[in-house]
Amino acid sequence: MAAGVGRMGGRGPGGVPGGRRAAAGARFVGKTALVTGGSSGIGLAVATRLVAEGASVVILARDRTRISEAVKGLREVASVTAEMLGIEPPRVEGASVDVMDEEGVRIAADAAAKLGRRLDVCIASAGMDGAAENAIDLTVEGFRKVLDVNVLGLFIAARAAAERMTRDGEGGSIVLVASVNGLIAEPDFADYNTSKGGAVMLAKSLARDLAATSIRVNAICPGYTRTAMTEAYLADPPTAATILGRIPLGRVAEPAEIASVIAFLASDEASYMTGSAVVVDGGWTA
């Protein structure tokens, strides 16, 4: 069994130190965000959190039906947000775009920027599972696909966001959804482990390269989280018992719990954080 995005993982704006910050619960009023993998799991949870705190959001995923359903739900959240905060409803749009489609992602980033004054936040959450096979049984084609989606897909989204964030010199925040599998190796998941290690190092590299532009980049490394990716594992009693027995808190995370940490990293409250890999795993790696 693996752990990672959705399993041990799931399937950010610059700030001026000492500057004014929005009150908790309204940190993203007037800001816009792009969220990949935003139709389900951690991606949808963080999109929901951003909208609930006032952000206008564009979500991306491949499944048109899921995108449509997610946008409908997020617009309902936007209506509640507007009433609670006394603001115009945050705008929510969605698009069916593969994260490997460079031009499609760039178009989506432009659309997100046009929802408001500029693009402030990018959450790169789209990812895929490993093959759950011993390393010597993995195919080169399968291994390459996992790396493409879980590393190159994050790079494409982060680069598209950074291109737009640098245009006015105001910076921004990018959060890459990695996994604790990027920090410790799980047996029979060499493809997934390698991809998540790449995601962590990508965040650190981008943080170094973009620091001069006031763009912060961090990675979040979730542990087992209740999403579609982990559903089969958690539905099998012996497997679930093994997973829970390894987690000191004795339970898996809910997507909203991971989203709350991502929202912190994306907010001005984390204005001095960049290049970090933040672990949220219930004690799995302790």
Side-chain angles (χ1 to χ4, degrees):
M1 81 207 106
V5 351
R7 155 202 345 290
M8 273 196 190
R11 279 249 236 254
V16 178
R20 293 182 61 189
R21 292 174 178 156
R27 294 173 294 185
F28 299 99
V29 172
K31 297 184 182 296
T32 65
L34 175 69
V35 181
T36 71
S39 67
S40 63
I42 291 173
L44 178 56
V46 74
T48 301
R49 180 62 179 260
L50 293 176
V51 172
E53 292 203 37
S56 291
V57 174
V58 170
I59 60 171
L60 305 184
R62 291 184 299 174
D63 190 301
R64 292 181 184 276
T65 300
R66 285 187 175 182
I67 279 286
S68 179
E69 293 173 349
V71 167
K72 180 180 179 181
L74 288 169
R75 286 176 177 168
E76 292 174 356
V77 174
S79 295
V80 174
T81 299
E83 183 176 354
M84 291 183 65
L85 300 181
I87 61 174
E88 288 296 316
R91 300 172 64 187
V92 178
E93 300 294 341
S96 175
V97 177
D98 190 304
V99 291
M100 298 302 294
D101 178 358
E102 294 182 63
E103 186 59 23
V105 173
R106 280 193 166 113
I107 290 172
D110 280 332
K114 291 174 182 177
L115 288 184
R117 190 174 61 84
R118 64 188 304 276
L119 181 62
D120 301 285
V121 174
C122 174
I123 312 298
S125 178
M128 68 173 293
D129 203 357
E133 295 181 345
N134 188 277
I136 62 173
D137 297 319
L138 293 173
T139 66
V140 171
E141 180 182 4
F143 196 96
R144 180 181 293 118
K145 183 177 181 180
V146 174
L147 263 65
D148 278 349
V149 174
N150 291 354
V151 182
L152 187 56
L154 299 185
F155 169 73
I156 289 171
R159 183 185 60 182
E163 288 170 346
R164 281 137 192 87
M165 291 173 178
T166 56
R167 289 174 179 171
D168 58 10
E170 292 188 28
S173 179
I174 299 171
V175 182
L176 308 185
V177 179
S179 168
V180 291
N181 283 54
L183 305 175
I184 58 173
E186 186 171 11
D188 295 329
F189 279 90
D191 49 359
Y192 191 81
N193 299 337
T194 302
S195 73
K196 292 306 174 179
V200 170
M201 189 51 65
L202 175 61
K204 291 179 176 291
S205 298
L206 291 173
R208 285 281 190 172
D209 289 351
L210 298 175
T213 66
S214 298
I215 296 174
R216 298 184 298 102
V217 186
N218 292 288
I220 186 165
C221 299
Y224 270 90
T225 305
R226 193 179 303 280
T227 68
M229 188 181 290
T230 61
E231 185 177 3
Y233 296 94
L234 298 176
D236 178 62
T239 302
T242 300
I243 293 171
L244 297 178
R246 175 89 189 267
I247 302 172
L249 287 184
R251 64 177 180 84
V252 299
E254 297 299 328
E257 294 180 292
I258 307 303
S260 67
V261 181
I262 295 175
F264 165 72
L265 291 173
S267 77
D268 289 343
E269 293 185 27
S271 59
Y272 199 58
M273 289 186 69
T274 195
S276 295
V278 180
V279 177
V280 188
D281 67 355
W284 180 283
T285 58

